[in-house]
Amino acid sequence: MTMAGHDRTGLRKVRIYGGLLALLGLMMFPFYTMIASTFKPEPEIFSTPATLVPEEFTVEAYLAVWGQTDVLLWIGNSFLISIATVALALVLAIPAAYSCARNDFVGKKTFLLSVLVVQMFAPVVLIVGLFDVMVSFGLYNTYLAVIIPAAAFTLPFNIWMLYGYFKTIPIELEESARIDGASQFEILWKIILPLAKPALVASITYTFLYAWNRLLFVLTFLTDDSKFNIPRGVFSMVGALQADWRMMLTVSVIGIIPILILFAFLEEYIVAGMTSGAVKE
């Protein structure tokens, strides 16, 4: 390669990496300012001009959150709601996706498109009707009032994700197992689901994040403060006349730590599931 070719290649890499770093910096800037603000004294948060790096580093906001809020209770409730939502969503999505992937029946495409349409509605436009349903069935102020709608709104993504991945698994594996005497449940449980692990992890992660970050359902359906999750806990810190923004930011930072840990452990499966789930029928 000539010197001019080396120069063009080097310039191209500079443009690519420079663009990626700029984009990454733009996406991460709100998170950086949120985290940095939790280590500032409260007057510095609202100082003008704003400081990017804390001039006086302090952890008093974290000590105050630990002693003055129910942050551990909120985290525990977030885990409870998120895990239950994942379980309910997968119990419904797996049979639906597997059935569509392995069978041709009248109305299959209509069903799949109808499922997709549900994803297009914002929960807020349905919240009044959902409120009446929860009250009528005696679910108001129970965890189920949050878990059921959260699972329902994640079903379109989960069904389509698993449907696409199930179609990539060779049907010959199932036929061999069936010849060996395996039941349909055993085929699904022992063969299909282990092979679909990347798609399952992607579905679990999406559903977990959706339920973890839900404020609207908890705000509407739960009044008992012992059942609040992290977003509702942060919202409860808004007073009638003022809000302690530093405490709210600190609880928010604590609330995203479990999500970061989840991504750190499952990143490989999430990427594999996202990139392999789309299959043209």
Side-chain angles (χ1 to χ4, degrees):
M1 183 179 291
T2 63
M3 185 63 70
H6 279 296
D7 290 343
R8 283 196 297 271
T9 302
L11 186 60
R12 183 170 176 270
K13 288 182 178 179
V14 169
R15 286 200 298 265
I16 292 173
Y17 286 114
L20 292 176
L21 285 175
L23 183 61
L24 183 62
L26 180 65
M27 290 189 298
M28 296 303 296
F29 184 71
F31 296 98
Y32 169 75
T33 56
M34 179 177 72
I35 295 172
S37 296
T38 64
F39 293 107
K40 298 176 182 177
E42 190 160 7
E44 188 181 338
I45 295 177
F46 303 102
S47 64
T48 304
T51 56
L52 288 178
V53 179
E55 293 179 345
E56 182 183 345
F57 188 89
T58 176
V59 295
E60 63 181 18
Y62 287 89
L63 297 177
V65 164
W66 182 264
Q68 300 175 20
T69 70
D70 295 320
V71 63
L72 290 181
L73 175 66
W74 299 338
I75 290 176
N77 287 334
S78 291
F79 271 111
L80 173 64
I81 292 171
S82 300
I83 292 172
T85 302
V86 168
L88 179 59
L90 290 187
V91 164
L92 297 174
I94 289 174
Y98 180 72
S99 178
C100 291
R102 287 293 184 251
N103 300 291
D104 285 323
F105 52 87
V106 177
K108 186 175 83 171
K109 287 188 177 181
T110 304
F111 168 75
L112 289 171
L113 289 176
S114 300
V115 167
L116 199 59
V117 168
V118 175
Q119 188 82 56
M120 300 176 184
F121 290 98
V124 69
V125 304
L126 306 173
I127 201 67
V128 175
L130 284 173
F131 182 84
D132 289 337
V133 171
M134 296 305 168
V135 172
S136 299
F137 284 87
L139 297 177
Y140 183 70
N141 202 28
T142 68
Y143 289 118
L144 285 176
V146 177
I147 294 167
I148 292 174
F153 278 98
T154 60
L155 275 179
F157 174 88
N158 288 324
I159 290 176
W160 274 91
M161 165 67 73
L162 296 173
Y163 166 72
Y165 206 93
F166 287 158
K167 287 182 70 66
T168 66
I169 300 175
I171 189 69
E172 290 78 9
L173 293 175
E174 298 184 35
E175 293 173 346
S176 298
R178 195 169 286 111
I179 291 173
D180 291 337
S183 65
Q184 188 62 56
F185 178 78
E186 289 174 328
I187 291 172
L188 180 63
W189 183 255
K190 296 181 179 179
I191 297 177
I192 301 300
L193 293 185
L195 292 175
K197 188 184 295 182
L200 285 173
V201 172
S203 296
I204 289 171
T205 305
Y206 170 79
T207 308
F208 189 92
L209 292 178
Y210 184 92
W212 186 274
N213 294 319
R214 282 311 92 187
L215 170 62
L216 179 63
F217 298 144
V218 180
L219 188 63
T220 307
F221 301 136
L222 295 183
T223 56
D224 187 349
D225 55 8
S226 66
K227 298 174 182 174
F228 287 177
N229 62 353
I230 282 286
R232 183 67 179 89
V234 172
F235 187 79
S236 68
M237 299 169 73
V238 179
L241 300 177
Q242 63 178 6
D244 191 333
W245 294 106
R246 191 177 60 156
M247 293 273 281
M248 293 169 65
L249 290 172
T250 304
V251 174
S252 299
V253 170
I254 294 173
I256 65 175
I257 292 175
I259 302 301
L260 295 178
I261 294 174
L262 180 69
F263 264 99
F265 280 102
L266 301 179
E267 177 267 340
E268 180 182 353
Y269 290 111
I270 294 170
V271 173
M274 289 293 184
T275 55
S276 302
V279 176
K280 186 176 181 180
E281 188 174 6

